């Protein structure tokens, strides 16, 4: 019995890393430039049609690249500048009602919430791509094992995908990946000072967090407070947590070197979602974010320059979090 238990445990551990043919990304590939239709027709109707709401839109990121890296007057000018994109847009969405019960039992899925409903068009093709990471991949990376949560999370995406197809049509492109890195998430704990108001402690931490990341050329590209969303906006109970919020963070130069230099499809991972929660009465804040090494595995990135960037960003984020007093777990 002991031998069988050990064998079963090893098998589970092994299959968590080796996932041959696992769903990676889901895209609609549509003829022509769909930017205007996406922003003026699709997004305004999205919530009523699907339950997914938009937060922190970032349209035409390719224009921002041109202003910073394509401008000889800018100190960050890239002498090898060339624009490969007609459109790159990051649009963070979440179905908060459907997500509510899942967050209560599997809070780590917030490493992908909100997630990017990406749109991009290369200059080289006359097609637009609209899509997202496959929900199964999000669940596997985040380490969600609760089967009811996994089923509900995958089901949540069906109305979204159906509506994209209804509005845009196009061909469906579902990609797969072969394996995940041995460690998919970076996870931390911080000791919470409960001698005073926990909200004030969190606000003071947030100020330090934002300053530390901005000092290293990271952009705070989004923020969602799930505690406030549920208790104040939706009037849904969420008292299992004293605090629960998510930052969207992005290193702009890294994103330029990734998305404008051949891999705009990797934008499904951007901006990186870093979640923070404090369970009711707890004296620790739990923090988590998918490692960028996951990008390399799921997107099958082989370019050594991009891989070097990925390794650098993972190490730098871990270092910054430790500098803020976090303990890696």
């Amino acid at each position: 019995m002991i031998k069988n238990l050990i064998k079963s445990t090893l098998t589970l551990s092994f299959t968590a890393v080796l996932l041959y043919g696992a769903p990676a990304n889901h895209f609609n590939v549509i003829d022509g430039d769909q930017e205007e239709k996406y922003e003026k027709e699709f997004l305004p109707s999205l919530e009523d049609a699907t339950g997914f709401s938009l937060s922190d839109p970032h349209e035409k990121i390719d224009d921002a690249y041109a202003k910073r890296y394509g401008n000889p007057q800018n100190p960050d000018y890239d002498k090898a500048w060339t624009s490969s994109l007609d459109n790159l847009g990051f649009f963070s969405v979440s179905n908060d009602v459907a997500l509510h019960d899942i967050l209560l039992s599997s809070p780590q899925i917030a490493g992908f919430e909100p997630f990017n409903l990406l749109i991009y068009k290369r200059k080289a093709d006359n097609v637009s791509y609209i899509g997202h990471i496959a929900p199964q991949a999000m669940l596997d990376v985040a380490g969600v094992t609760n089967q009811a949560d996994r089923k509900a999370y995958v089901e949540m995406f069906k109305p979204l995908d159906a509506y994209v197809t209804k509005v845009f049509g196009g061909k469906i492109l579902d990609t797969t990946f072969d394996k995940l890195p041995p460690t998919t998430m970076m996870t931390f704990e911080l000791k919470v000072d409960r001698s005073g108001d926990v909200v004030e402690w969190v606000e003071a931490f947030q100020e330090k967090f934002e300053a530390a990341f901005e000092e290293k050329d990271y952009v705070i590209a989004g923020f969602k407070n799930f505690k406030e969303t549920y208790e104040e906006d939706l009037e849904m109970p969420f008292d299992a947590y004293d605090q629960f919020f998510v930052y969207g963070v992005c290193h702009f130069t890294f994103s330029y070197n990734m998305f404008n230099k051949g891999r705009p499809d990797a934008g499904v991972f951007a901006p990186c979602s870093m979640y923070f929660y404090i369970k009711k009465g707890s004296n620790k804040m739990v923090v988590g974010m998918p490692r960028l090494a996951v990008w390399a595995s799921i997107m099958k990135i082989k370019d050594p320059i991009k891989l070097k960037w990925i390794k650098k960003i993972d190490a730098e984020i871990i270092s910054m979090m430790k500098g803020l007093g976090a303990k890696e777990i």
Side-chain angles (χ1 to χ4, degrees):
M1 180 176 179
I2 294 294
K3 288 176 69 176
N4 289 337
L5 180 60
I6 293 172
K7 182 178 179 181
S8 174
T9 302
L10 288 173
T11 301
L12 287 170
S13 175
F14 188 67
T15 54
V17 178
L18 300 180
L19 302 164
Y20 295 110
N25 299 301
H26 176 86
F27 283 104
N28 284 64
V29 186
I30 310 114
D31 289 341
D33 189 342
Q34 300 296 323
E35 177 190 358
E36 184 171 358
K37 184 176 183 179
Y38 184 90
E39 294 181 16
K40 295 184 178 179
E41 180 181 335
F42 173 74
L43 289 177
S45 61
L46 180 65
E47 186 167 8
D48 287 342
T50 68
F52 283 83
S53 58
L54 171 68
S55 58
D56 303 309
H58 297 281
E59 66 279 353
K60 295 296 291 179
I61 295 171
D62 46 304
D63 284 351
Y65 292 155
K67 291 177 182 177
R68 182 166 176 178
Y69 305 104
N71 177 6
Q73 308 305 315
N74 192 295
D76 291 327
Y77 173 63
D78 182 356
K79 293 180 181 179
W81 162 258
T82 182
S83 175
S84 68
L85 299 167
D86 280 332
N87 183 34
L88 179 67
F90 297 165
F91 296 88
S92 297
V93 299
S94 58
N95 186 330
D96 298 330
V97 173
L99 191 61
H100 175 265
D101 290 353
I102 300 172
L103 285 181
L104 289 174
S105 52
S106 299
Q108 67 270 38
I109 196 58
F112 291 99
E113 291 294 338
F115 63 89
N116 184 11
L117 189 60
L118 172 71
I119 180 170
Y120 73 89
K121 180 184 178 299
R122 300 185 184 96
K123 289 184 179 294
D125 339 289
N126 191 34
V127 292
S128 296
Y129 292 77
I130 298 172
H132 56 78
I133 308 169
Q136 297 91 335
M138 300 184 196
L139 292 162
D140 290 339
V141 170
V144 175
T145 57
N146 182 301
Q147 291 303 308
D149 288 346
R150 290 182 66 91
K151 181 179 179 180
Y153 196 72
V154 171
E155 288 292 319
M156 182 177 73
F157 281 76
K158 292 182 178 179
L160 174 64
D161 293 340
Y163 192 59
V164 174
T165 297
K166 179 181 178 180
V167 174
F168 294 99
K171 297 179 181 178
I172 302 299
L173 174 63
D174 287 317
T175 64
T176 62
F177 70 97
D178 297 330
K179 63 180 180 179
L180 291 172
T183 305
T184 59
M185 300 286 288
M186 55 178 76
T187 312
F188 310 91
E189 288 182 355
L190 287 102
K191 187 175 180 181
V192 176
D193 182 0
R194 285 195 173 266
S195 61
D197 188 329
V198 70
V199 174
E200 291 182 0
W201 180 87
V202 166
E203 288 175 348
F205 171 80
Q206 288 172 338
E207 288 183 9
K208 292 187 292 184
F209 172 87
E210 292 174 17
F213 274 70
E214 288 169 354
E215 184 180 346
K216 292 287 188 178
D217 200 32
Y218 289 77
V219 176
I220 303 299
F223 179 80
K224 187 174 182 81
N225 190 322
F226 278 110
K227 177 77 170 173
E228 291 183 358
T229 294
Y230 288 123
E231 295 188 342
E232 298 179 17
D233 300 337
L234 297 176
E235 297 183 348
M236 299 177 74
F238 206 61
D239 56 1
Y241 300 100
D242 286 334
Q243 291 285 297
F244 200 131
F245 53 91
V246 179
Y247 274 104
V249 296
C250 175
H251 190 286
F252 203 64
T253 302
F254 164 75
S255 78
Y256 160 67
N257 281 285
M258 178 67 72
F259 309 137
N260 188 63
K261 296 187 177 182
R263 295 306 304 265
D265 56 332
V268 290
F269 281 94
C272 299
S273 292
M274 181 179 283
Y275 65 80
F276 301 74
Y277 67 79
I278 303 172
K279 288 190 175 181
K280 187 175 181 64
S282 174
N283 65 353
K284 66 182 179 183
M285 180 163 68
V286 178
V287 184
M289 190 187 93
R291 292 173 182 263
L292 274 75
V294 168
W295 296 33
S297 294
I298 291 182
M299 306 307 297
K300 300 180 180 178
I301 296 169
K302 305 297 184 184
D303 180 351
I305 296 175
K306 291 180 174 59
L307 292 175
K308 184 177 179 180
W309 264 108
I310 284 172
K311 187 175 181 180
K312 173 183 182 296
I313 296 297
D314 272 345
E316 190 169 69
I317 291 176
I318 291 171
S319 176
M320 286 190 292
M321 289 305 299
K322 288 180 177 179
L324 290 166
K327 177 184 177 182
E328 189 176 12
I329 57 174

